[in-house]
């Protein structure tokens, strides 16, 4: 079984992924050469301000980008190096094989558990559909499997809840349903796009516990998108910091917190409230606003907001990207010049 | 995940300072069809304003002998070069009925000229004059330019259609104004006060909307006393067709009020201690003017069609008033129509105006509420 | 007729309210185990609410009808006597007074209304003056045929608008979408009676046949039989299509706009992320959601179609209540006209009520939470 593969084996390799949205008003370059690996049994955290391309990355992997979004470059390879490796980007997005990967190899968990479920069908119906999409189970067997999944994600009295409509459940339960649905096709990679943002703190902790437990049990490779440095610290093995469609820093989680190398990462960390702060102490913010991806600055995209900008260098050229699989920062401070 | 407005970054200041109405106008200008429609509608209203000046023959003058003359073309050139003219008419005795009827006579050329004298009218209701844009010189009695032919009574269809524009367009305007007053008032009350007032008004609207309107209108229109003057009937019909029309406008206004009540700037004004009147007129009204304008431009064609339908049935305006519906009434009989298909030409302005108003309304609504 | 234009353009209010209700839904941890009695109660109260509104509407229609009957100067007996005198016979003053008493015309208006309602509820609509027969007899099959034509138009509207609306939304800005959008605008702009007129003319002119009517000549007077029903079905498409045009155009727009809205929602991404095929993901989820406003459009569409059928029937010569109503109104045969207006209104309200109840079954939120 897939689950018993060696831990740390690369389950998914993303290389130089570039995504454009071609709009009437011009091309929005949502992603510009993003590279990272997802490893079995490990968690990669992705942080960055709103609009930096986190969700676009997740959707590109599943090939469910909204129009007019288009992958214009790079590769996304499942099981790289093995004999059965597949370039996801080479598949037709509606082809049988791609659909088997979607939900079957890679599961997706959403931010908004209310809107991510259809109010017109029972949660059972929606999970059963996912189960049957990736197996030959009979209706009854699929229902049993759905109940089992609901139990697995910690929903009490799943035999009853299976027939509930999403609007009859609390936010926390709905998010668990979302996770159960993502697990329905027995994927070995999970992408969680801000899975806890819409939840209160207690529920958030429970859901994170659940994700950790599932990962440990099944050896899942988890890609965790979040705004929350606390979540990163608690959950992740490695972290990728994104800014305007690029990964600006990539590091193991301890390194990142102990010695952040990119000015943007440092700014992000300064903006995190801590209980150690003095009362009434002002929270640091990052000056300026994220430029619109349609109007990106010349040079290093962060230079207009950077406190350590090197005139003539940062304003003229884009710093080189971080080599895949290595820790580092995409910043001229790193590159002696 | 929605994209931020791409225009926000470029020229952000310009956008931040513009009023809601101005923003709407900027967005509106991007809808080419809507802008074209606006021009067409403006032209129609110009035609209506200068209807008598533009009409060629007296729209009410009958002449049994020139009954059902087919449309006449203006010939611009003859052997002498540029010389716009139409053919004169020749009296011929009909072989079956032995009546004298006119038919075009290619041997007689009537020169077409600009600013000729015709029947007397009041220009814009102010200046009495008999100057018309075009006409013929040297015409004998009963002759003229019949661009769209004549009807059974020998009246010039082109002139009648031009004059009908006035009634048809302005009855729509009057009806919409009335609807607007009712709609804004009741919709505003409904949206502003909420509670049971809202419930009652909403229920009334629901009741009104679930009734098939045409039979009711027909009943009301037919019940108007025969003794009433054309003007009285005109106003009564206007009221009848706006009785139902206000519900749509009321819905739009109420919806906007409800949405706006929650908006930050209104809450801010409230906290700042602005009076309710000031909030409504300074803050709320301007921000939904564009919605109301869009709703009006969509309600107008409905009114025009309603009048046309009622008059078409013979229950609307009464002759000698002329509206497109009254003109179409003549086209009801299939036998007549097959002999004189030009009687259908009044359908063209009806369709054109409705189409233009619909495009305009659509463009306006998109502009007023690009995300809604 | 087109005052519903705007109504059909934007999703009906009810659906907006539905969305609101759902957005602010408090979280419930109870799940499916919630008290089923409570559900039944909520549903019942919703049903009662709709039923109550329908009753109020009917009462309102009846009052308006009574007003229409009473509006013309003089009363029914005057008209009756005038009618008899015109045809040669005469009525004595005593006879007239006796008739007045019999019909209660000497009583106050409210009493008259109550009595009239009482008789109407027993199925007695009075006697048609022109036909000298009970109104119910005169109307005969015509009421049902009106409903048949309107329902046929309704189903045609849905059958066309649903697939095209889906196509236009899923392939937004494709050539097909542009073509349908343009056609839709033109469909909206042609009032259905004009369309009927144009079709009649074309049929007469180029095919030399009368395209109107609901029956072949052999079946016009025939008693009901399967053959006659079949004949009716064969004649339905043209009038149904004429009637359906504008409504279809509007429903396509509603469907397109709603579906575009729904297609942006996260649950569509969920469906895709499950590995469903694009077709299945769209049909099962967003289309299902967009179907609600679509289905509830019947509340406005049906009265509109019934309305339209009146005028269209006149042009196409359909044996519905339309031509009869016009005759009755012109002849001031007010009992007949009133009965038609009342029956049409009530039938429409009943149709709408039925659709409302069906809607409950479609929407689990109403079914389980009693919210609408
Ligand atoms: N459907 C779309 N149409 C046009 N542009 C889009 C679309 N979706 C995303 N984008 C562009 O891609 C950029 C990245 O969007 P994305 O949703 O990935 O941001 P994000 O990092 O997930 O932000 P958030 O934290 O708010 O979820 C956006 O700034 C936007 O300009
Ligand atoms: Mg996102």
């Amino acid at each position: 079984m897939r689950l018993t593969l060696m831990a740390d084996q690369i389950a998914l390799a993303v290389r130089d992924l570039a995504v454009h949205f071609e709009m009437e008003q011009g091309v929005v370059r949502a992603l510009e050469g993003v590279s990272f690996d997802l490893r079995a049994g490990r968690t990669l955290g992705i942080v960055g301000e709103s609009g930096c391309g986190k969700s676009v990355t997740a959707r590109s992997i599943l090939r469910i980008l909204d129009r007019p979004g288009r992958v214009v470059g790079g590769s996304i390879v499942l099981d790289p190096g093995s004999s059965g490796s597949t370039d996801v980007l080479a598949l037709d997005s509606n082809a049988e094989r791609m659909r088997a990967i979607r939900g079957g190899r890679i599961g997706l968990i959403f931010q908004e558990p209310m809107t991510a479920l259809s109010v017109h069908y029972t949660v059972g119906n929606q999970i059963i559909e996912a189960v049957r999409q990736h197996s030959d189970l009979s209706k009854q067997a699929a229902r049993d499997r759905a109940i089992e999944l609901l139990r697995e994600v910690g929903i009490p009295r799943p035999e009853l809840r299976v027939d509930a409509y999403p609007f009859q459940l609390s936010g926390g339960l709905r998010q668990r349903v979302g996770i159960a649905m993502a697990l329905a096709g027995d994927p070995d990679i999970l992408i969680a796009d801000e899975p806890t943002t819409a939840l209160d703190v207690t529920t958030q902790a429970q859901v994170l516990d659940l994700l950790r437990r599932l990962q440990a049990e099944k050896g899942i490779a988890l890609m965790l998108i979040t705004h929350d440095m606390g979540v990163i610290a608690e959950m992740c093995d490695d972290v990728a910091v994104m800014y305007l469609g690029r990964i600006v820093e990539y590091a193991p989680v301890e390194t990142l917190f102990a010695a952040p190398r990119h000015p943007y990462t440092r700014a992000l960390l300064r903006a995190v409230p801590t209980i150690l702060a003095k009362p009434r102490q002002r929270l640091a913010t990052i000056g300026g606003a994220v430029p619109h991806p349609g109007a990106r600055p010349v040079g290093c995209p962060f230079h207009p907001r950077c406190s350590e900008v090197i005139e003539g260098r940062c304003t003229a050229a884009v710093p080189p990207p971080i080599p895949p699989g290595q820790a580092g920062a995409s910043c001229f401070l790193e590159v002696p010049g | 995940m929605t994209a931020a407005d791409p225009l926000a970054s470029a020229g952000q200041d310009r956008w931040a300072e513009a009023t809601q109405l101005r923003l709407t106008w900027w967005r509106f200008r991007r809808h080419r069809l809507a802008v074209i429609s606006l021009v067409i509608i403006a032209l129609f209203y110009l035609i209506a304003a200068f209807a008598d000046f533009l009409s060629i023959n007296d729209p009410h003058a009958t002449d049994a002998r020139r009954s059902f003359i087919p449309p006449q073309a203006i010939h611009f050139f003859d052997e002498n070069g540029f010389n716009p003219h139409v053919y004169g008419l020749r009296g011929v005795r009909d072989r079956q009925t032995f009546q004298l009827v006119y038919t075009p006579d290619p041997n007689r050329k009537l020169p077409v000229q600009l600013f000729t004298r015709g029947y007397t009218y009041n220009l814009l209701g102010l200046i009495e004059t008999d100057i018309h844009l075009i006409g013929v010189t040297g015409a004998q009695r009963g002759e003229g330019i019949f661009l769209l032919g004549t009807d059974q009574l020998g009246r010039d269809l082109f002139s009648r259609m031009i004059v009908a524009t006035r009634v048809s367009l302005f009855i729509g305007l009057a009806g919409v104004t009335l609807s607007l007053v009712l709609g804004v008032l009741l919709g505003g009350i409904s949206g502003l006060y909420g509670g049971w007032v809202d419930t009652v008004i909403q229920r009334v609207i629901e009741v009104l909307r679930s009734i098939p309107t045409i039979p009711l209108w027909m009943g009301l229109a037919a019940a108007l006393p025969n003794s009433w003057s054309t003007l009285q009937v005109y106003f009564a019909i206007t009221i009848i067709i706006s009785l139902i029309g206000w519900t749509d406008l009321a819905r739009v206004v109420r919806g906007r009020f409800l949405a706006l009540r929650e908006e930050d700037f209104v809450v801010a004004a409230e906290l700042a201690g602005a009076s309710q009147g000031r909030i409504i007129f300074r803050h709320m009204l301007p921000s939904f003017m564009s919605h109301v304008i869009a709703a009006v431009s969509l309600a107008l064609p409905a009114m025009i069609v309603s009048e046309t339908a009622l008059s078409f049935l013979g229950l609307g305006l009464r002759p000698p008033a002329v509206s497109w519906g009254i003109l179409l009434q003549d086209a009801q009989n299939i036998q007549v129509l097959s002999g004189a298909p030009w009687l259908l030409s009044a359908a063209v302005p009806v369709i054109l105006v409705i189409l233009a108003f619909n495009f305009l309304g659509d463009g306006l609504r998109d502009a007023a509420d690009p995300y809604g | 007729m087109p005052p519903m234009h705007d109504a059909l353009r934007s999703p009906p209010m009810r659906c907006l309210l539905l969305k609101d209700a759902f957005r602010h839904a408090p979280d419930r941890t109870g799940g499916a185990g919630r008290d089923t009695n409570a559900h039944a109660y909520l549903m019942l109260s919703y049903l009662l609410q709709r039923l109550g509104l329908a009753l109020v509407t009917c009462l309102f229609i009846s009052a308006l009808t009574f007003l229409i009957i009473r509006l013309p100067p003089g009363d029914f007996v005057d008209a009756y006597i005038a009618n008899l005198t015109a045809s040669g016979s005469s009525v004595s003053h005593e006879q007239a007074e006796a008739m007045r008493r019999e019909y209660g015309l000497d009583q106050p208006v409210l009493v008259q209304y109550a009595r009239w309602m009482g008789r109407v509820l027993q199925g007695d609509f009075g006697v048609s003056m022109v036909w000298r027969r009970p109104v119910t007899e005169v109307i005969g099959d015509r009421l049902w045929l009106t409903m048949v034509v309107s329902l046929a138009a309704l189903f045609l509207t849905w059958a066309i608008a649903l697939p095209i609306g889906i196509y236009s939304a899923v392939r937004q800005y494709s050539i097909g979408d542009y073509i349908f959008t343009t056609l839709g605008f033109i469909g909206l702009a042609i009032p259905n009676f004009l369309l009927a007129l144009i079709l009649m003319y074309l049929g007469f002119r180029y095919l030399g046949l009368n395209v109107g009517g609901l029956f072949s000549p052999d079946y016009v007077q025939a008693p009901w039989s399967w053959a006659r029903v079949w004949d009716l079905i064969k004649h339905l498409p043209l009038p149904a299509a004429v009637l359906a045009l504008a409504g279809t155009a509007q429903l396509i727009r509603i469907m397109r706009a709603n579906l575009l809205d729904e297609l942006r929602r996260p649950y569509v991404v969920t469906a895709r992320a499950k590995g469903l095929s694009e077709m299945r993901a769209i049909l099962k989820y967003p289309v299902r959601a967009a179907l609600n406003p679509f289905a509830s459009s019947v509340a406005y569409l049906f009265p509109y179609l019934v309305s339209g059928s009146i005028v269209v029937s006149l042009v196409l010569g359909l044996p519905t209540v339309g031509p009869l109503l016009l005759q009755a109104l012109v002849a001031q045969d007010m009992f007949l006209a009133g009965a038609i207006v009342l029956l049409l209104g009530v039938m429409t309200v009943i149709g709408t009520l039925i659709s409302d109840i069906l809607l409950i079954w479609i929407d689990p939120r109403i079914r389980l939470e009693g919210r609408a």
Side-chain angles (χ1 to χ4, degrees), chain A residues 43-55 57-58 109-111 191-199 204 208 211 222-243 253 256-257 264 268 272:
Chain A
T43 302
L44 172 70
I46 300 207
V47 277
E49 278 166 294
S50 216
C52 65
K54 306 183 294 290
S55 300
T57 308
I109 300 168
F110 295 95
Q111 168 181 8
I191 301 178
D193 192 348
E194 305 186 34
T196 56
T197 312
L199 304 175
Q204 196 173 342
L208 290 178
L211 281 177
L222 180 62
M223 173 173 153
L224 184 64
I225 296 172
T226 180
H227 285 138
D228 187 338
M229 281 297 186
V231 172
I232 293 281
E234 197 181 332
M235 294 285 294
C236 299
D237 302 301
D238 302 295
V239 188
V241 179
M242 284 187 72
Y243 187 80
V253 66
L256 188 92
F257 280 97
Y264 178 60
L268 269 185
V272 176

Side-chain angles (χ1 to χ4, degrees), chain C residues 154-371:
Chain C
L154 183 66
F155 286 117
L156 197 64
T157 304
W158 278 349
I160 300 172
L162 187 63
I164 294 184
I166 295 175
Y167 173 87
S168 278
V170 174
R171 298 255 173 281
Q172 192 188 9
Y173 302 138
S174 69
I175 293 178
D177 178 30
Y178 277 121
I179 291 175
F180 285 127
T181 308
T182 315
L183 283 182
F185 262 116
I186 293 170
L188 266 181
I190 305 182
N192 46 27
F193 66 96
L194 277 183
L195 181 66
L197 209 57
I198 292 167
L199 287 181
M200 282 290 276
Y201 171 71
L202 294 179
F204 192 85
R205 184 70 199 264
Y206 296 104
L207 305 175
L209 48 84
N210 186 352
V211 295
L214 275 183
F215 297 102
S216 319
D218 296 349
Y219 287 104
V220 171
Q221 298 295 340
W224 281 108
S225 63
W226 285 115
R228 192 172 188 234
V229 170
W230 178 239
D231 190 51
L232 172 65
I233 292 174
K234 278 193 296 190
H235 281 82
L236 268 180
L238 181 85
V242 168
L243 260 183
L245 182 70
T248 307
Q250 283 163 345
L251 271 199
I252 289 175
R253 294 160 57 100
I254 294 184
M255 188 65 202
R256 180 176 182 273
N258 279 319
L259 190 54
L260 280 177
D261 228 40
E262 295 295 338
L263 282 173
R264 280 198 291 265
R265 295 195 192 273
Y267 66 78
V268 185
V269 184
T270 314
R272 290 193 182 121
K274 274 185 215 176
L276 300 184
S277 71
E278 188 64 14
M279 178 90 157
R280 191 182 155 87
I282 287 177
L283 285 185
K284 181 172 177 182
Y285 293 99
V287 168
R288 172 69 189 72
L291 224 46
N292 263 350
F294 191 74
S296 55
S297 69
V298 71
Y300 309 105
L301 196 59
F302 192 55
Y304 163 84
L305 291 172
V306 172
S307 249
S309 81
I310 303 285
V311 198
V312 167
S313 297
L314 272 159
V315 177
L316 293 181
L318 308 183
T320 67
V321 290
L324 198 61
L325 177 61
L326 187 66
Q327 278 173 28
L329 286 171
V330 170
Q332 302 247 312
D333 188 351
M334 290 328 257
F335 276 125
L336 181 54
I340 293 175
V341 171
L342 182 63
L343 285 173
L344 272 185
V346 171
M347 298 277 288
T348 309
V349 171
I350 293 174
T352 312
L353 185 69
I354 293 173
S355 78
D356 255 347
I357 294 172
L358 289 181
L359 251 189
I360 296 181
W361 290 108
I362 303 185
D363 196 322
R365 273 169 311 189
I366 307 183
R367 198 165 67 227
L368 296 179
E369 311 264 296
R371 276 184 277 128

Side-chain angles (χ1 to χ4, degrees), chain B residues 203 206-207 209-210 212-214 218 222-223 248 251 254 298 302 312-313 328 338 341 355 358-359 362 365, chain C residues 1-3 7 9-10 13 49-50 53 57 60 71 185 189 193-194 201 204 253 300 307 314 329 332 348:
Chain B
R203 289 296 167 267
E206 251 182 81
V207 165
R209 297 170 72 91
S210 56
T213 46
I214 290 262
M218 286 169 67
D248 291 340
R251 253 193 36 215
R254 171 181 179 270
L298 291 172
F312 175 73
L313 293 176
L328 284 169
S338 63
L355 203 57
N358 272 309
F359 278 129
D362 217 54
R365 198 181 32 196
Chain C
M1 237 354 5
R9 252 156 214 294
S10 49
M13 202 60 207
Q49 190 195 328
R50 305 308 309 174
L53 198 65
T57 313
F60 181 75
L71 258 186
F185 262 116
F193 66 96
L194 277 183
Y201 171 71
F204 192 85
R253 294 160 57 100
Y300 309 105
S307 249
L314 272 159
L329 286 171
Q332 302 247 312
T348 309

Side-chain angles (χ1 to χ4, degrees), chain A residues 21 23 28 30 49-56 66-68 194 227 292-293, chain B residues 1 3:
Chain A
F21 284 84
M23 325 256 285
V28 173
E49 278 166 294
S50 216
C52 65
K54 306 183 294 290
S55 300
V56 168
D66 285 331
R67 279 196 299 162
E194 305 186 34
H227 285 138
H292 192 270
Chain B
M1 325 281 101

